[in-house]
Amino acid sequence: MEIYIFGLGVFVVCLVIASVFFVNQEETKKYNDIDEANEMDYDGMGNYGRFPNKK
């Protein structure tokens, strides 16, 4: 019985580790273009709606 609980624990730990790597990979893809410089951003604060986007 103890071996089954140990096996279940190992399985859960593996799932947690795999999910951490998967989420980290998604976040890296999502924020990959942040490194690009914006020449119009003179104050370094980003675009927080000081001038609304034209639609």
Side-chain angles (χ1 to χ4, degrees):
M1 182 65 177
E2 293 86 11
I3 194 73
Y4 297 120
I5 295 173
F6 177 75
L8 180 64
V10 168
F11 179 70
V12 169
V13 168
C14 289
L15 284 178
V16 169
I17 291 172
S19 67
V20 166
F21 285 125
F22 181 70
V23 169
N24 189 23
Q25 183 182 19
E26 282 186 358
E27 291 295 318
T28 303
K29 286 180 186 177
K30 184 166 66 172
Y31 295 113
N32 196 18
D33 61 342
I34 282 187
D35 294 337
E36 296 177 8
N38 184 358
E39 290 81 18
M40 297 301 292
D41 184 20
Y42 296 117
D43 61 356
M45 293 295 294
N47 184 12
Y48 285 107
R50 183 173 34 187
F51 301 108
N53 294 333
K54 295 180 181 178
K55 294 182 180 179

Short mmCIF file of all heavy atoms in Angstrom, two decimals:
data_model
loop_
_atom_site.label_atom_id
_atom_site.label_comp_id
_atom_site.label_asym_id
_atom_site.label_seq_id
_atom_site.Cartn_x
_atom_site.Cartn_y
_atom_site.Cartn_z
N MET A 1 0.82 -1.19 0.00
CA MET A 1 0.00 0.00 0.00
C MET A 1 0.86 1.26 0.00
O MET A 1 0.55 2.23 -0.66
CB MET A 1 -0.92 -0.03 1.23
CG MET A 1 -1.86 1.13 1.33
SD MET A 1 -3.01 1.10 -0.04
CE MET A 1 -4.02 2.47 0.37
N GLU A 2 1.98 1.21 0.75
CA GLU A 2 2.85 2.38 0.83
C GLU A 2 3.48 2.70 -0.52
O GLU A 2 3.71 3.86 -0.85
CB GLU A 2 3.95 2.18 1.88
CG GLU A 2 3.44 2.11 3.30
CD GLU A 2 3.02 0.70 3.69
OE1 GLU A 2 3.32 -0.25 2.92
OE2 GLU A 2 2.40 0.55 4.74
N ILE A 3 3.76 1.67 -1.30
CA ILE A 3 4.38 1.89 -2.61
C ILE A 3 3.41 2.60 -3.56
O ILE A 3 3.84 3.40 -4.39
CB ILE A 3 4.91 0.57 -3.20
CG1 ILE A 3 5.84 0.83 -4.39
CG2 ILE A 3 3.79 -0.33 -3.64
CD1 ILE A 3 7.16 1.37 -3.99
N TYR A 4 2.12 2.35 -3.42
CA TYR A 4 1.14 3.03 -4.26
C TYR A 4 1.05 4.51 -3.91
O TYR A 4 0.96 5.37 -4.79
CB TYR A 4 -0.23 2.37 -4.12
CG TYR A 4 -0.26 0.94 -4.60
CD1 TYR A 4 -0.60 -0.09 -3.74
CD2 TYR A 4 0.08 0.63 -5.91
CE1 TYR A 4 -0.63 -1.40 -4.17
CE2 TYR A 4 0.06 -0.68 -6.36
CZ TYR A 4 -0.29 -1.69 -5.49
OH TYR A 4 -0.30 -2.98 -5.93
N ILE A 5 1.09 4.81 -2.63
CA ILE A 5 1.06 6.21 -2.20
C ILE A 5 2.33 6.93 -2.64
O ILE A 5 2.29 8.07 -3.11
CB ILE A 5 0.87 6.30 -0.67
CG1 ILE A 5 -0.50 5.75 -0.30
CG2 ILE A 5 1.02 7.73 -0.18
CD1 ILE A 5 -0.74 5.62 1.19
N PHE A 6 3.47 6.23 -2.54
CA PHE A 6 4.73 6.81 -3.01
C PHE A 6 4.67 7.06 -4.52
O PHE A 6 5.09 8.11 -5.00
CB PHE A 6 5.89 5.87 -2.67
CG PHE A 6 7.21 6.36 -3.20
CD1 PHE A 6 7.87 7.40 -2.57
CD2 PHE A 6 7.78 5.78 -4.31
CE1 PHE A 6 9.08 7.85 -3.04
CE2 PHE A 6 8.99 6.21 -4.80
CZ PHE A 6 9.65 7.26 -4.17
N GLY A 7 4.16 6.10 -5.27
CA GLY A 7 4.03 6.25 -6.72
C GLY A 7 3.11 7.41 -7.09
O GLY A 7 3.40 8.18 -8.00
N LEU A 8 2.01 7.55 -6.36
CA LEU A 8 1.10 8.66 -6.60
C LEU A 8 1.78 10.00 -6.30
O LEU A 8 1.63 10.97 -7.05
CB LEU A 8 -0.17 8.51 -5.76
CG LEU A 8 -1.22 9.59 -5.90
CD1 LEU A 8 -1.76 9.60 -7.33
CD2 LEU A 8 -2.32 9.39 -4.89
N GLY A 9 2.56 10.04 -5.23
CA GLY A 9 3.30 11.26 -4.89
C GLY A 9 4.31 11.63 -5.95
O GLY A 9 4.44 12.79 -6.33
N VAL A 10 5.04 10.65 -6.46
CA VAL A 10 6.02 10.90 -7.52
C VAL A 10 5.30 11.40 -8.77
O VAL A 10 5.77 12.32 -9.45
CB VAL A 10 6.84 9.63 -7.81
CG1 VAL A 10 7.65 9.77 -9.09
CG2 VAL A 10 7.74 9.30 -6.63
N PHE A 11 4.17 10.81 -9.09
CA PHE A 11 3.39 11.23 -10.27
C PHE A 11 2.94 12.68 -10.13
O PHE A 11 3.06 13.48 -11.06
CB PHE A 11 2.20 10.29 -10.45
CG PHE A 11 1.33 10.64 -11.61
CD1 PHE A 11 1.76 10.46 -12.91
CD2 PHE A 11 0.06 11.17 -11.39
CE1 PHE A 11 0.96 10.79 -13.98
CE2 PHE A 11 -0.76 11.50 -12.46
CZ PHE A 11 -0.31 11.32 -13.76
N VAL A 12 2.43 13.04 -8.96
CA VAL A 12 1.96 14.41 -8.74
C VAL A 12 3.12 15.40 -8.81
O VAL A 12 3.00 16.47 -9.41
CB VAL A 12 1.22 14.50 -7.39
CG1 VAL A 12 0.96 15.95 -7.00
CG2 VAL A 12 -0.08 13.73 -7.44
N VAL A 13 4.25 15.06 -8.22
CA VAL A 13 5.43 15.94 -8.27
C VAL A 13 5.89 16.11 -9.71
O VAL A 13 6.23 17.22 -10.14
CB VAL A 13 6.55 15.39 -7.37
CG1 VAL A 13 7.87 16.10 -7.64
CG2 VAL A 13 6.17 15.52 -5.91
N CYS A 14 5.89 15.06 -10.50
CA CYS A 14 6.27 15.17 -11.92
C CYS A 14 5.31 16.07 -12.68
O CYS A 14 5.73 16.86 -13.53
CB CYS A 14 6.33 13.79 -12.54
SG CYS A 14 7.72 12.80 -11.98
N LEU A 15 4.02 15.95 -12.40
CA LEU A 15 3.04 16.83 -13.05
C LEU A 15 3.28 18.30 -12.69
O LEU A 15 3.19 19.18 -13.55
CB LEU A 15 1.62 16.44 -12.66
CG LEU A 15 1.05 15.20 -13.32
CD1 LEU A 15 -0.35 14.91 -12.79
CD2 LEU A 15 1.01 15.37 -14.83
N VAL A 16 3.59 18.57 -11.44
CA VAL A 16 3.84 19.95 -11.02
C VAL A 16 5.09 20.50 -11.71
O VAL A 16 5.09 21.62 -12.21
CB VAL A 16 3.98 20.03 -9.48
CG1 VAL A 16 4.51 21.39 -9.05
CG2 VAL A 16 2.65 19.75 -8.82
N ILE A 17 6.14 19.72 -11.76
CA ILE A 17 7.38 20.17 -12.42
C ILE A 17 7.14 20.40 -13.90
O ILE A 17 7.59 21.41 -14.47
CB ILE A 17 8.51 19.16 -12.18
CG1 ILE A 17 8.91 19.18 -10.71
CG2 ILE A 17 9.71 19.44 -13.07
CD1 ILE A 17 9.88 18.09 -10.31
N ALA A 18 6.42 19.50 -14.56
CA ALA A 18 6.12 19.67 -15.98
C ALA A 18 5.27 20.91 -16.22
O ALA A 18 5.48 21.65 -17.19
CB ALA A 18 5.42 18.43 -16.52
N SER A 19 4.31 21.18 -15.35
CA SER A 19 3.46 22.36 -15.54
C SER A 19 4.26 23.64 -15.35
O SER A 19 4.02 24.63 -16.03
CB SER A 19 2.26 22.31 -14.60
OG SER A 19 2.68 22.45 -13.25
N VAL A 20 5.22 23.64 -14.43
CA VAL A 20 6.05 24.83 -14.23
C VAL A 20 6.85 25.12 -15.48
O VAL A 20 6.93 26.27 -15.94
CB VAL A 20 6.97 24.65 -13.00
CG1 VAL A 20 8.06 25.71 -12.97
CG2 VAL A 20 6.17 24.70 -11.73
N PHE A 21 7.44 24.11 -16.08
CA PHE A 21 8.20 24.32 -17.31
C PHE A 21 7.30 24.75 -18.46
O PHE A 21 7.66 25.60 -19.26
CB PHE A 21 8.98 23.06 -17.69
CG PHE A 21 10.18 22.83 -16.84
CD1 PHE A 21 10.34 21.63 -16.17
CD2 PHE A 21 11.15 23.81 -16.71
CE1 PHE A 21 11.45 21.40 -15.40
CE2 PHE A 21 12.27 23.59 -15.93
CZ PHE A 21 12.42 22.38 -15.26
N PHE A 22 6.10 24.19 -18.55
CA PHE A 22 5.18 24.54 -19.62
C PHE A 22 4.71 25.98 -19.50
O PHE A 22 4.69 26.73 -20.47
CB PHE A 22 3.98 23.59 -19.61
CG PHE A 22 2.99 23.86 -20.70
CD1 PHE A 22 3.30 23.61 -22.02
CD2 PHE A 22 1.74 24.39 -20.41
CE1 PHE A 22 2.39 23.85 -23.03
CE2 PHE A 22 0.83 24.65 -21.40
CZ PHE A 22 1.16 24.38 -22.71
N VAL A 23 4.36 26.41 -18.30
CA VAL A 23 3.91 27.79 -18.09
C VAL A 23 5.06 28.75 -18.35
O VAL A 23 4.86 29.81 -18.94
CB VAL A 23 3.34 27.95 -16.67
CG1 VAL A 23 3.13 29.41 -16.33
CG2 VAL A 23 2.04 27.20 -16.53
N ASN A 24 6.27 28.41 -17.93
CA ASN A 24 7.42 29.26 -18.17
C ASN A 24 7.67 29.43 -19.66
O ASN A 24 7.99 30.52 -20.12
CB ASN A 24 8.66 28.68 -17.49
CG ASN A 24 9.83 29.62 -17.52
OD1 ASN A 24 9.66 30.82 -17.66
ND2 ASN A 24 11.02 29.07 -17.40
N GLN A 25 7.49 28.36 -20.43
CA GLN A 25 7.68 28.44 -21.88
C GLN A 25 6.62 29.34 -22.51
O GLN A 25 6.93 30.14 -23.39
CB GLN A 25 7.62 27.04 -22.47
CG GLN A 25 7.88 27.00 -23.95
CD GLN A 25 7.78 25.58 -24.50
OE1 GLN A 25 7.19 24.71 -23.87
NE2 GLN A 25 8.32 25.36 -25.67
N GLU A 26 5.37 29.25 -22.05
CA GLU A 26 4.32 30.10 -22.59
C GLU A 26 4.58 31.57 -22.26
O GLU A 26 4.38 32.45 -23.10
CB GLU A 26 2.97 29.69 -22.03
CG GLU A 26 2.38 28.47 -22.66
CD GLU A 26 0.97 28.19 -22.16
OE1 GLU A 26 0.50 28.94 -21.30
OE2 GLU A 26 0.37 27.23 -22.65
N GLU A 27 5.01 31.86 -21.05
CA GLU A 27 5.28 33.24 -20.66
C GLU A 27 6.44 33.80 -21.47
O GLU A 27 6.43 34.97 -21.83
CB GLU A 27 5.59 33.32 -19.16
CG GLU A 27 4.41 33.05 -18.28
CD GLU A 27 3.32 34.09 -18.42
OE1 GLU A 27 3.64 35.28 -18.50
OE2 GLU A 27 2.15 33.70 -18.47
N THR A 28 7.44 32.99 -21.75
CA THR A 28 8.57 33.45 -22.56
C THR A 28 8.10 33.79 -23.96
O THR A 28 8.52 34.80 -24.53
CB THR A 28 9.65 32.37 -22.61
OG1 THR A 28 10.05 32.04 -21.28
CG2 THR A 28 10.86 32.84 -23.39
N LYS A 29 7.22 32.99 -24.53
CA LYS A 29 6.70 33.28 -25.87
C LYS A 29 5.84 34.54 -25.85
O LYS A 29 5.90 35.35 -26.77
CB LYS A 29 5.85 32.11 -26.37
CG LYS A 29 6.63 30.90 -26.79
CD LYS A 29 5.68 29.82 -27.27
CE LYS A 29 6.38 28.54 -27.57
NZ LYS A 29 5.45 27.48 -27.97
N LYS A 30 5.03 34.71 -24.81
CA LYS A 30 4.11 35.84 -24.76
C LYS A 30 4.85 37.16 -24.65
O LYS A 30 4.45 38.15 -25.27
CB LYS A 30 3.15 35.66 -23.58
CG LYS A 30 2.09 36.72 -23.50
CD LYS A 30 0.96 36.37 -22.56
CE LYS A 30 1.40 36.30 -21.14
NZ LYS A 30 0.30 36.16 -20.20
N TYR A 31 5.92 37.20 -23.86
CA TYR A 31 6.64 38.44 -23.64
C TYR A 31 7.94 38.52 -24.42
O TYR A 31 8.84 39.25 -24.05
CB TYR A 31 6.92 38.61 -22.14
CG TYR A 31 5.67 38.77 -21.33
CD1 TYR A 31 5.26 37.80 -20.43
CD2 TYR A 31 4.88 39.89 -21.48
CE1 TYR A 31 4.11 37.94 -19.70
CE2 TYR A 31 3.72 40.05 -20.76
CZ TYR A 31 3.35 39.08 -19.86
OH TYR A 31 2.20 39.23 -19.15
N ASN A 32 8.02 37.80 -25.51
CA ASN A 32 9.24 37.77 -26.31
C ASN A 32 9.50 39.10 -27.00
O ASN A 32 10.64 39.50 -27.18
CB ASN A 32 9.17 36.64 -27.34
CG ASN A 32 10.51 36.32 -27.92
OD1 ASN A 32 11.54 36.67 -27.36
ND2 ASN A 32 10.51 35.64 -29.05
N ASP A 33 8.46 39.83 -27.39
CA ASP A 33 8.65 41.07 -28.13
C ASP A 33 8.80 42.29 -27.22
O ASP A 33 8.95 43.39 -27.70
CB ASP A 33 7.48 41.29 -29.09
CG ASP A 33 6.15 41.40 -28.35
OD1 ASP A 33 6.09 40.99 -27.18
OD2 ASP A 33 5.19 41.91 -28.96
N ILE A 34 8.84 42.12 -25.92
CA ILE A 34 8.98 43.26 -25.02
C ILE A 34 10.38 43.86 -25.12
O ILE A 34 10.56 45.03 -24.86
CB ILE A 34 8.65 42.84 -23.57
CG1 ILE A 34 7.15 42.76 -23.43
CG2 ILE A 34 9.23 43.77 -22.55
CD1 ILE A 34 6.67 42.51 -22.05
N ASP A 35 11.36 43.08 -25.50
CA ASP A 35 12.73 43.58 -25.58
C ASP A 35 12.91 44.61 -26.68
O ASP A 35 13.91 45.33 -26.68
CB ASP A 35 13.70 42.42 -25.79
CG ASP A 35 13.75 41.50 -24.59
OD1 ASP A 35 13.41 41.96 -23.49
OD2 ASP A 35 14.12 40.33 -24.76
N GLU A 36 11.97 44.69 -27.61
CA GLU A 36 12.09 45.66 -28.69
C GLU A 36 11.89 47.07 -28.15
O GLU A 36 10.98 47.33 -27.38
CB GLU A 36 11.06 45.37 -29.78
CG GLU A 36 11.27 44.05 -30.46
CD GLU A 36 10.19 43.76 -31.48
OE1 GLU A 36 9.38 44.65 -31.75
OE2 GLU A 36 10.17 42.64 -31.99
N ALA A 37 12.75 47.97 -28.55
CA ALA A 37 12.67 49.36 -28.09
C ALA A 37 11.58 50.10 -28.84
O ALA A 37 11.36 49.89 -30.03
CB ALA A 37 14.01 50.05 -28.29
N ASN A 38 10.91 50.99 -28.14
CA ASN A 38 9.90 51.85 -28.74
C ASN A 38 10.49 53.25 -28.80
O ASN A 38 10.70 53.90 -27.77
CB ASN A 38 8.62 51.82 -27.91
CG ASN A 38 7.51 52.63 -28.54
OD1 ASN A 38 7.70 53.25 -29.57
ND2 ASN A 38 6.36 52.63 -27.90
N GLU A 39 10.74 53.74 -29.98
CA GLU A 39 11.39 55.04 -30.13
C GLU A 39 10.51 56.19 -29.67
O GLU A 39 10.99 57.26 -29.33
CB GLU A 39 11.80 55.26 -31.60
CG GLU A 39 12.94 54.38 -32.06
CD GLU A 39 12.48 52.99 -32.44
OE1 GLU A 39 11.27 52.81 -32.67
OE2 GLU A 39 13.32 52.08 -32.50
N MET A 40 9.20 56.00 -29.65
CA MET A 40 8.28 57.06 -29.25
C MET A 40 8.07 57.11 -27.73
O MET A 40 7.44 58.01 -27.23
CB MET A 40 6.92 56.87 -29.94
CG MET A 40 6.98 56.96 -31.43
SD MET A 40 7.60 58.54 -32.01
CE MET A 40 6.28 59.61 -31.51
N ASP A 41 8.61 56.18 -27.00
CA ASP A 41 8.43 56.13 -25.55
C ASP A 41 9.59 56.87 -24.89
O ASP A 41 10.59 56.29 -24.53
CB ASP A 41 8.38 54.66 -25.10
CG ASP A 41 8.09 54.54 -23.62
OD1 ASP A 41 7.56 55.50 -23.05
OD2 ASP A 41 8.39 53.48 -23.06
N TYR A 42 9.43 58.18 -24.71
CA TYR A 42 10.52 59.00 -24.20
C TYR A 42 10.67 58.90 -22.69
O TYR A 42 11.76 59.10 -22.17
CB TYR A 42 10.32 60.46 -24.59
CG TYR A 42 10.37 60.67 -26.09
CD1 TYR A 42 9.27 61.14 -26.77
CD2 TYR A 42 11.52 60.37 -26.80
CE1 TYR A 42 9.32 61.33 -28.14
CE2 TYR A 42 11.57 60.55 -28.17
CZ TYR A 42 10.47 61.03 -28.83
OH TYR A 42 10.52 61.21 -30.16
N ASP A 43 9.61 58.64 -21.95
CA ASP A 43 9.71 58.62 -20.50
C ASP A 43 9.97 57.22 -19.95
O ASP A 43 10.21 57.07 -18.76
CB ASP A 43 8.46 59.20 -19.85
CG ASP A 43 7.20 58.43 -20.19
OD1 ASP A 43 7.27 57.48 -20.98
OD2 ASP A 43 6.14 58.78 -19.65
N GLY A 44 9.90 56.18 -20.77
CA GLY A 44 10.19 54.83 -20.32
C GLY A 44 9.04 54.16 -19.59
O GLY A 44 9.21 53.09 -19.03
N MET A 45 7.87 54.76 -19.56
CA MET A 45 6.75 54.21 -18.82
C MET A 45 5.86 53.33 -19.69
O MET A 45 4.94 52.72 -19.18
CB MET A 45 5.90 55.33 -18.22
CG MET A 45 6.62 56.10 -17.14
SD MET A 45 6.97 55.09 -15.72
CE MET A 45 5.34 54.75 -15.13
N GLY A 46 6.09 53.30 -20.97
CA GLY A 46 5.24 52.50 -21.84
C GLY A 46 4.01 53.29 -22.27
O GLY A 46 3.86 54.47 -21.96
N ASN A 47 3.13 52.63 -22.97
CA ASN A 47 1.93 53.29 -23.47
C ASN A 47 0.79 53.06 -22.49
O ASN A 47 0.13 52.03 -22.50
CB ASN A 47 1.57 52.73 -24.84
CG ASN A 47 0.39 53.45 -25.45
OD1 ASN A 47 -0.02 54.50 -24.95
ND2 ASN A 47 -0.15 52.91 -26.51
N TYR A 48 0.58 54.01 -21.61
CA TYR A 48 -0.48 53.90 -20.62
C TYR A 48 -1.67 54.79 -20.96
O TYR A 48 -2.36 55.27 -20.09
CB TYR A 48 0.04 54.23 -19.22
CG TYR A 48 0.87 53.14 -18.66
CD1 TYR A 48 2.24 53.26 -18.55
CD2 TYR A 48 0.30 51.95 -18.25
CE1 TYR A 48 3.02 52.25 -18.04
CE2 TYR A 48 1.05 50.92 -17.74
CZ TYR A 48 2.41 51.09 -17.63
OH TYR A 48 3.17 50.08 -17.13
N GLY A 49 -1.86 55.07 -22.22
CA GLY A 49 -3.05 55.79 -22.64
C GLY A 49 -2.94 57.30 -22.53
O GLY A 49 -3.94 57.99 -22.42
N ARG A 50 -1.74 57.83 -22.51
CA ARG A 50 -1.59 59.27 -22.48
C ARG A 50 -2.20 59.88 -23.74
O ARG A 50 -2.86 60.89 -23.68
CB ARG A 50 -0.10 59.62 -22.38
CG ARG A 50 0.17 61.06 -22.26
CD ARG A 50 1.63 61.31 -21.99
NE ARG A 50 2.46 60.33 -22.66
CZ ARG A 50 3.75 60.24 -22.50
NH1 ARG A 50 4.36 61.04 -21.67
NH2 ARG A 50 4.46 59.35 -23.14
N PHE A 51 -1.99 59.21 -24.85
CA PHE A 51 -2.63 59.60 -26.10
C PHE A 51 -3.43 58.39 -26.55
O PHE A 51 -2.87 57.32 -26.79
CB PHE A 51 -1.57 59.94 -27.16
CG PHE A 51 -0.67 61.06 -26.74
CD1 PHE A 51 0.64 60.81 -26.40
CD2 PHE A 51 -1.14 62.36 -26.66
CE1 PHE A 51 1.48 61.82 -26.01
CE2 PHE A 51 -0.31 63.38 -26.27
CZ PHE A 51 1.00 63.12 -25.95
N PRO A 52 -4.74 58.52 -26.67
CA PRO A 52 -5.57 57.35 -27.02
C PRO A 52 -5.25 56.85 -28.43
O PRO A 52 -4.86 57.62 -29.30
CB PRO A 52 -6.99 57.87 -26.93
CG PRO A 52 -6.88 59.35 -27.00
CD PRO A 52 -5.53 59.72 -26.49
N ASN A 53 -5.40 55.55 -28.61
CA ASN A 53 -5.20 54.94 -29.92
C ASN A 53 -6.31 55.38 -30.86
O ASN A 53 -7.48 55.42 -30.49
CB ASN A 53 -5.19 53.42 -29.83
CG ASN A 53 -4.00 52.91 -29.05
OD1 ASN A 53 -2.97 53.56 -29.01
ND2 ASN A 53 -4.15 51.76 -28.45
N LYS A 54 -5.94 55.69 -32.09
CA LYS A 54 -6.94 56.06 -33.09
C LYS A 54 -7.54 54.80 -33.66
O LYS A 54 -6.83 53.89 -34.07
CB LYS A 54 -6.29 56.89 -34.20
CG LYS A 54 -5.76 58.21 -33.70
CD LYS A 54 -5.14 59.00 -34.82
CE LYS A 54 -4.60 60.31 -34.28
NZ LYS A 54 -3.94 61.11 -35.30
N LYS A 55 -8.85 54.75 -33.67
CA LYS A 55 -9.53 53.55 -34.17
C LYS A 55 -10.21 53.83 -35.48
O LYS A 55 -10.63 54.86 -35.81
CB LYS A 55 -10.54 53.06 -33.16
CG LYS A 55 -9.87 52.58 -31.91
CD LYS A 55 -10.89 52.05 -30.94
CE LYS A 55 -10.18 51.57 -29.68
NZ LYS A 55 -11.09 51.06 -28.71
#
